[in-house]
């Protein structure tokens, strides 16, 4: 005999099955359509990712080829390819190409064109922040030679804070611009921040020490130029003091590289003078007694 518990369990099971059947009959097609759409969407996303990756690879190859031309001292061909990338490149490559174009102009001495390129990237809201900051630093360095201290401040002062990754270059640009403007206190403030930071890159640290020493001595570019113009020319060394064998110098080494430790044999040591012969005795003089 069936118990009440068994009876109610079977009735509940039939009711659940009927509800599932009714739901499937009502929404089954929609569920199948949603599943098919999900599969299609996943496939489309994968295909789109592959397409984007292929475009990025092609753009990277174009940019690398253009940079190689610039490194091979072919600026005209490099500029032509970089300008094409800047016009129709993919992703961040147009901004990278614009930066490279500005760098070529700076190398060629066209400060105006270089500054326009750097400022264009620095003010491009679509460019990544890292590229905008680099462009601002490069513009600041150009303006150290061609602009005013206020021009340099407008580009790089926001990047000189302790939390900024480009603070060392920003402080150097500000210090150089202040020193050139004769504002020695400002120059010392920016340069001392680099000198006192043990993480300052070596190249910037070396340049900082040189300019900071001049600023602390009260020397400006004008006074340094005046002192160089009025300084007497160094007298040439006597001929007898010059070495017979020249000391070899490696002129291909960059400034600051150590000189060769091994000089030519006897370099800098004048040859010994030959021993003078004894004077001849006058005619008729007695000969020197022999021992």
């Amino acid at each position: 005999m069936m118990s009440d518990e068994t009876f109610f369990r079977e009735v509940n099971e039939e009711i659940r099955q009927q509800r599932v059947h009714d739901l499937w009959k009502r929404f089954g097609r929609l569920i199948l359509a949603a599943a098919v759409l999900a599969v299609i969407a996943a496939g489309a996303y994968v295909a789109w990712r592959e397409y984007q990756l292929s475009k990025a690879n092609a753009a990277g190859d174009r940019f690398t080829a253009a940079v190689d031309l610039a490194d091979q001292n072919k600026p005209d061909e490099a500029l032509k390819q970089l300008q094409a990338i800047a016009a129709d490149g993919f992703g961040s490559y147009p901004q990278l190409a614009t930066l490279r174009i500005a760098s070529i102009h700076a190398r060629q001495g066209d400060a105006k064109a270089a500054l326009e390129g750097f400022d264009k990237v620095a003010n491009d809201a679509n460019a990544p922040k890292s590229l905008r900051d680099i462009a601002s630093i490069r513009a600041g360095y150009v303006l150290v030679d061609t602009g005013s201290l206020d021009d340099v401040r407008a580009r790089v002062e926001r990047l000189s804070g302790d939390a900024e990754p480009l603070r060392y270059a920003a402080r150097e640009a500000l210090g150089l611009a202040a020193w050139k403007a004769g504002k020695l206190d400002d120059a010392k403030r920016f340069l001392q921040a680099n000198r006192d930071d043990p993480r300052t890159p070596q190249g910037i640290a070396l340049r900082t020490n040189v300019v900071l020493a001049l600023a602390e001595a009260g020397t400006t570019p004008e006074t340094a130029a005046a002192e160089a113009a009025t300084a007497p020319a160094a007298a040439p060394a006597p001929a007898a003091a010059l070495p017979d064998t020249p000391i070899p110098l490696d002129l291909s080494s960059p400034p600051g590289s150590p000189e060769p430790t091994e000089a030519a044999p006897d370099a800098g040591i004048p040859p010994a003078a030959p021993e003078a012969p004894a004077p001849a005795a006058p005619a008729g003089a007695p000969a020197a007694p022999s021992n």
Side-chain angles (χ1 to χ4, degrees), residues 79-170:
L79 284 173
K80 184 178 180 180
Q81 293 196 19
L82 288 169
Q83 287 166 353
I85 296 172
D88 60 6
F90 175 79
S92 297
Y93 283 104
Q95 291 86 6
L96 286 171
T98 303
L99 282 177
R100 191 69 187 195
I101 292 170
S103 298
I104 293 175
H105 287 315
R107 188 184 305 172
Q108 293 175 336
D110 191 347
K112 181 180 179 181
L115 184 60
E116 290 177 355
F118 292 135
D119 280 344
K120 181 178 180 181
V121 176
N123 298 322
D124 187 351
N126 294 323
K129 183 181 183 301
S130 58
L131 290 185
R132 297 201 305 269
D133 292 346
I134 291 173
S136 295
I137 292 292
R138 295 298 306 275
Y141 275 117
V142 171
L143 288 167
V144 167
D145 292 327
T146 62
S148 65
L149 175 58
D150 290 337
D151 293 332
V152 178
R153 283 182 182 273
R155 267 77 174 183
V156 305
E157 190 163 24
R158 64 181 177 84
L159 302 173
S160 62
D162 293 338
E164 294 292 336
L166 298 177
R167 58 188 177 276
Y168 307 110

Side-chain angles (χ1 to χ4, degrees), residues 11-69:
V11 170
N12 288 334
E13 183 66 25
E14 291 180 0
I15 293 174
R16 284 197 296 269
Q17 290 179 0
Q18 186 62 38
R19 286 179 177 176
V20 171
H21 180 268
D22 293 341
L23 287 173
W24 180 255
K25 185 176 180 180
R26 185 175 179 182
F27 301 108
R29 293 182 179 180
L30 294 177
I31 294 173
L32 287 175
V36 171
L37 288 176
V39 172
I40 294 174
Y45 176 74
V46 172
W48 177 81
R49 285 290 303 274
E50 291 295 327
Y51 173 70
Q52 295 291 99
L53 182 60
S54 65
K55 287 186 65 176
N57 290 336
D61 292 341
R62 291 175 63 193
F63 181 77
T64 301
V67 170
D68 289 342
L69 288 174

Side-chain angles (χ1 to χ4, degrees), residues 149-215:
L149 175 58
D150 290 337
D151 293 332
V152 178
R153 283 182 182 273
R155 267 77 174 183
V156 305
E157 190 163 24
R158 64 181 177 84
L159 302 173
S160 62
D162 293 338
E164 294 292 336
L166 298 177
R167 58 188 177 276
Y168 307 110
R171 292 168 183 169
E172 182 184 33
L174 289 166
L176 288 173
W179 179 68
K180 291 192 67 177
K183 298 183 177 182
L184 301 184
D185 290 338
D186 288 339
K188 288 187 285 186
R189 176 165 57 88
F190 290 118
L191 296 174
Q192 284 170 352
N194 273 354
R195 182 196 61 186
D196 297 339
D197 191 335
R199 293 171 295 181
T200 300
Q202 183 178 7
I204 293 178
L206 291 173
R207 295 191 297 269
T208 292
N209 290 333
V210 172
V211 181
L212 184 57
L214 293 172

